[in-house]
Amino acid sequence: MASVELKNVAKSFGRVEAVRDVSLTVEDRELVVFVGPSGCGKSTLLRMIAGLEEITSGELMIGGKPMNAVAAADRGIAMVFQSYALYPHMTVAENMGFALKMLGTEKAEIDRKVAEAAGVLQIEELLGRKPRELSGGQRQRVAIGRAIVRQPDVFLFDEPLSNLDAGLRAQMRVEIARLHERLRTTMIYVTHDQVEAMTLADRIVILNRGRIEQQGSPLELYEKPANRFVAGFLGQPKMNFIPTIAGRSQAGTTLAIAVSGRTVLKLGEGVPVTDGSEIELGVRPDTISIAGPLADLAVPGRIVVVEHLGGSSLLYVQVDGLDQLLTVEQRGKADFAKGQEINLLFDTGQSHLFDGGGSRIGSG
Amino acid sequence: MQRGLNPFLTFLFATLIVLFTGGPVILSLIGSVVPDRILLDSSKALFSEGLNFETYRYVFTGQLPDSYLAETANRAMISDAARQVPQSLLNSGIIAFSSMVLNLLIGAPAAYVFARYVFPGKKLTFMFLILSPLVPAVALVTPVYIMLQTLGLVGTQAGIILVHTAKALPFTVLILSVFFRKMPAEIFEAAVLDHCSRFQTFWRIALPLALPSIGATGLFAFMLSYSEYMFSMVLSGDAATRPVSVVMAALARNTDVSWSLLNTAIFIAIVPTLVLVVFVWRFVVEGLLSGAVKG
């Protein structure tokens, strides 16, 4: 059991800065997910914690002890790799017990611990097999089992599910969540999949270009994204972004689509926007409602594509003055057809406003 | 694109390959069991007198074939060099085996280091190693001879073993380093996390995974040494230490030599390699196949 602390940690490969000035504390027993687009430095950060990558500057503490100079094997961590990294020439049991064997643990003790971990993961019947005789999901279980056997203070997962198909991924996601519940160990999990991040994490750390964009609980990040990047990254389907111009008058503040000039939203009191400033309006697809043509501030549009998902439908709507189609999510069995004209209504309370630099100003 | 090859073309090429590789072996086998008087007499069918093992008897026991006991027979056709074949096989076996073991002992760790570590001068040394076989062996005979003479190794098997090891080493290192480089880095990182030292990572992870390649390169080193002639000839001493390639050359140099005897010696010289290839090759292929099945 241990916390992980990063203080102003940075990593450069030659001239390329992969991680810049990251400060972060992962509390004891917390499951923190590093998420971000590929190349954002999330895996590098994890590998620095593991000791597989040297830390260029800054300090790393695990369980309150400085770890910069400690060898990877002695940091009290166990890592699950994306490719599983099982030893092909060893059986499952040998794979799982290898670290203990290298430490000189007695055979009986190794067998006991391997059996115990195999029990947790329900892979007892696989112990005598070689990795090549296992399916992807089974290999991943063995890789996790190998980590469990070491009884680490911190588990590190490096995109462990990205080689699995969608169904298996969902199943393993639940299993990892249950495993965390059961082991109550600090876990750091790296993924590029925002669904994995949202469902697994106690806390999400969003990385972009080697920096932390924002960290917080999944809902916190979903509801109050600090900037346009976070807003666009989390949420499926993605948030719609609409370039608008703010207008202040005695009647209040309004936002109008930049190109067409059509007013789309009336802002509440106290939203700090100046007259004529460019504001990017962020609207999640499920907060857009469909109104009658006479409704105040309704935005007319034409449906270009309809995707029926069963429980809900996704409408891709062409709106005058916008380059990109707006995504609208409708719950229930909605009856919409391609080419249909509809009127959209944005919800003031659930809209996000971003300034020119992409920072969030507030909600409407 | 059509998958697979036209079966007729496959068969044709397979036949051609067998003709050129297996053909000489078969010919020497036939020639060794048919006496000279039939071999050289076109009017007689090949096996009209059945199989004749007299030349084999001579090679191993020294008892002359019956036809050469006659007064009129040309005794010079039965070359004494043929009597050295069994001993030379043993010598070649010792030399080739030692050279193979040395190759793997030195080559495998070297290949591993070239494949997985960065060190000053890595590119230069690797280049040097890879380019060294391009120097014609003839150009090296004199300097190598002088070197080994200073070391007092001329005329000993140790000298030949050293030279053969050096000749095969570039290939061993090149082939094995390619194989080590292909291994996924994550496996080695997992080993590091599992408390493996550098040597243990090599010994417990890399080496077992590379066994098929090691088998293949070992076999290669063995055969390179077994068939090497020039250095063996220059460096070998008396009949007791002479390798088989030198003895075979001496035998063939006798223009009067009995064809049957020559073929017998050739076939005996081939047998050890044949046996080795059959056993080691099966292991190598099995290993390569099992390594190829992944997903």
Side-chain angles (χ1 to χ4, degrees), chain A residues 246-278:
Chain A
R248 290 195 90 117
S249 68
Q250 288 186 331
T253 313
T254 55
L255 292 182
I257 294 175
V259 177
S260 66
R262 175 179 277 275
T263 304
V264 292
L265 205 64
K266 196 170 267 174
L267 301 182
E269 295 291 319
V271 181
V273 293
T274 51
D275 190 36
S277 60
E278 289 180 12

Coordinates of all heavy atoms in Angstrom, one line a residue, chain A residues 246-278:
Chain A
A246 N -20.4 37.0 -29.1 CA -21.3 37.5 -28.0 C -21.9 38.9 -28.3 O -21.2 39.7 -28.9 CB -20.5 37.5 -26.7
G247 N -23.1 39.1 -27.8 CA -23.7 40.4 -28.0 C -24.3 40.8 -26.7 O -25.0 40.0 -26.0
R248 N -24.0 42.0 -26.2 CA -24.6 42.5 -25.0 C -25.5 43.7 -25.3 O -25.2 44.6 -26.0 CB -23.5 43.1 -24.0 CG -22.6 42.0 -23.4 CD -21.8 42.6 -22.3 NE -22.5 42.4 -21.0 CZ -22.1 41.6 -20.0 NH1 -20.9 41.0 -20.1 NH2 -22.8 41.5 -18.9
S249 N -26.7 43.6 -24.7 CA -27.6 44.7 -24.8 C -28.4 44.8 -23.5 O -28.1 44.0 -22.6 CB -28.6 44.4 -26.0 OG -29.4 43.3 -25.7
Q250 N -29.4 45.7 -23.5 CA -30.1 45.8 -22.2 C -30.9 44.6 -21.9 O -31.2 44.2 -20.8 CB -31.0 47.0 -22.3 CG -30.1 48.3 -22.3 CD -31.0 49.6 -22.2 OE1 -32.1 49.6 -22.8 NE2 -30.4 50.6 -21.6
A251 N -31.3 43.9 -23.0 CA -32.1 42.7 -22.8 C -31.3 41.5 -22.2 O -31.9 40.5 -21.7 CB -32.7 42.3 -24.1
G252 N -30.0 41.6 -22.2 CA -29.1 40.6 -21.7 C -28.0 40.2 -22.7 O -27.9 40.9 -23.7
T253 N -27.3 39.2 -22.4 CA -26.2 38.7 -23.2 C -26.7 37.6 -24.1 O -27.3 36.6 -23.6 CB -25.0 38.3 -22.4 OG1 -24.8 39.3 -21.4 CG2 -23.8 38.1 -23.2
T254 N -26.4 37.6 -25.3 CA -26.7 36.5 -26.2 C -25.5 36.1 -27.0 O -24.5 36.8 -27.1 CB -27.8 37.0 -27.2 OG1 -27.3 38.1 -27.9 CG2 -29.1 37.3 -26.6
L255 N -25.6 34.8 -27.5 CA -24.6 34.3 -28.4 C -25.2 34.0 -29.8 O -26.3 33.5 -29.9 CB -24.0 33.0 -27.9 CG -23.2 33.0 -26.6 CD1 -22.7 31.6 -26.3 CD2 -22.0 34.0 -26.8
A256 N -24.5 34.4 -30.8 CA -25.0 34.2 -32.2 C -24.0 33.5 -33.0 O -22.8 33.7 -32.8 CB -25.3 35.5 -32.8
I257 N -24.4 32.6 -33.9 CA -23.5 31.8 -34.7 C -22.7 32.8 -35.5 O -23.2 33.8 -36.1 CB -24.3 30.9 -35.7 CG1 -24.9 29.8 -34.8 CG2 -23.3 30.3 -36.7 CD1 -25.8 28.9 -35.6
A258 N -21.4 32.7 -35.5 CA -20.5 33.7 -36.1 C -20.8 34.0 -37.5 O -20.8 35.1 -37.9 CB -19.0 33.2 -35.9
V259 N -21.0 33.0 -38.3 CA -21.2 33.2 -39.8 C -22.6 33.7 -40.1 O -22.8 34.7 -40.8 CB -20.9 31.9 -40.6 CG1 -21.1 32.2 -42.0 CG2 -19.4 31.5 -40.3
S260 N -23.6 33.0 -39.6 CA -25.0 33.4 -40.0 C -25.6 34.5 -39.2 O -26.5 35.1 -39.6 CB -25.8 32.1 -39.9 OG -26.0 31.7 -38.6
G261 N -25.0 34.7 -38.0 CA -25.6 35.8 -37.1 C -26.8 35.4 -36.4 O -27.4 36.2 -35.7
R262 N -27.3 34.1 -36.5 CA -28.5 33.7 -35.9 C -28.2 33.5 -34.4 O -27.3 32.9 -34.0 CB -29.0 32.4 -36.5 CG -30.2 31.8 -35.7 CD -30.6 30.5 -36.4 NE -31.5 30.8 -37.5 CZ -32.8 31.0 -37.4 NH1 -33.4 30.9 -36.3 NH2 -33.5 31.2 -38.5
T263 N -29.0 34.1 -33.5 CA -28.9 34.0 -32.1 C -29.3 32.6 -31.7 O -30.4 32.1 -32.1 CB -29.8 35.0 -31.4 OG1 -29.4 36.3 -31.9 CG2 -29.6 35.0 -29.9
V264 N -28.5 32.0 -30.9 CA -28.8 30.6 -30.5 C -28.9 30.4 -29.0 O -29.4 29.4 -28.5 CB -27.7 29.6 -31.0 CG1 -27.7 29.5 -32.5 CG2 -26.3 30.0 -30.5
L265 N -28.4 31.3 -28.2 CA -28.4 31.1 -26.7 C -28.5 32.5 -26.0 O -27.9 33.4 -26.4 CB -27.1 30.4 -26.3 CG -27.2 29.6 -25.0 CD1 -28.2 28.4 -25.2 CD2 -25.8 29.1 -24.7
K266 N -29.3 32.5 -25.0 CA -29.4 33.7 -24.1 C -28.6 33.3 -22.8 O -28.9 32.3 -22.2 CB -30.8 34.0 -23.8 CG -31.1 35.4 -23.3 CD -32.5 35.7 -23.2 CE -33.0 36.5 -24.5 NZ -34.4 36.7 -24.5
L267 N -27.6 34.1 -22.5 CA -26.8 33.8 -21.4 C -27.4 34.4 -20.1 O -28.1 35.4 -20.1 CB -25.4 34.3 -21.5 CG -24.6 33.8 -22.7 CD1 -23.2 34.3 -22.8 CD2 -24.6 32.3 -22.8
G268 N -27.1 33.7 -19.0 CA -27.6 34.2 -17.7 C -26.8 35.4 -17.2 O -25.8 35.8 -17.9
E269 N -27.2 35.9 -16.1 CA -26.5 37.1 -15.5 C -25.1 36.7 -15.1 O -24.8 35.5 -14.8 CB -27.2 37.6 -14.3 CG -28.6 38.2 -14.7 CD -28.5 39.5 -15.5 OE1 -27.7 40.3 -15.1 OE2 -29.3 39.6 -16.4
G270 N -24.2 37.6 -15.1 CA -22.9 37.4 -14.5 C -21.9 36.5 -15.3 O -20.9 36.1 -14.8
V271 N -22.2 36.2 -16.6 CA -21.3 35.5 -17.4 C -20.3 36.5 -18.0 O -20.7 37.4 -18.7 CB -21.9 34.7 -18.5 CG1 -20.9 33.9 -19.3 CG2 -22.9 33.7 -17.9
P272 N -19.0 36.4 -17.7 CA -18.1 37.5 -18.0 C -17.7 37.5 -19.5 O -16.6 37.0 -19.8 CB -16.9 37.2 -17.1 CG -16.9 35.7 -16.9 CD -18.3 35.3 -17.0
V273 N -18.6 37.9 -20.3 CA -18.2 38.1 -21.8 C -18.4 39.5 -22.2 O -19.3 40.2 -21.7 CB -19.0 37.2 -22.7 CG1 -18.7 35.7 -22.4 CG2 -20.5 37.4 -22.5
T274 N -17.5 40.0 -23.1 CA -17.6 41.4 -23.5 C -18.3 41.4 -24.9 O -18.3 40.4 -25.6 CB -16.2 42.0 -23.7 OG1 -15.4 41.2 -24.5 CG2 -15.6 42.3 -22.3
D275 N -19.0 42.5 -25.2 CA -19.7 42.6 -26.4 C -18.8 42.4 -27.6 O -17.7 42.9 -27.7 CB -20.3 44.0 -26.5 CG -21.3 44.1 -27.6 OD1 -22.0 43.1 -27.9 OD2 -21.4 45.2 -28.2
G276 N -19.2 41.6 -28.5 CA -18.4 41.3 -29.8 C -17.3 40.3 -29.6 O -16.6 40.1 -30.6
S277 N -17.1 39.7 -28.4 CA -16.0 38.8 -28.3 C -16.4 37.4 -28.9 O -17.5 37.1 -29.0 CB -15.6 38.6 -26.8 OG -16.7 38.1 -26.1
E278 N -15.3 36.7 -29.4 CA -15.6 35.4 -30.0 C -15.6 34.4 -28.9 O -14.7 34.2 -28.1 CB -14.5 35.1 -31.0 CG -14.5 36.0 -32.2 CD -13.4 35.6 -33.2 OE1 -12.7 34.6 -33.0 OE2 -13.2 36.4 -34.1

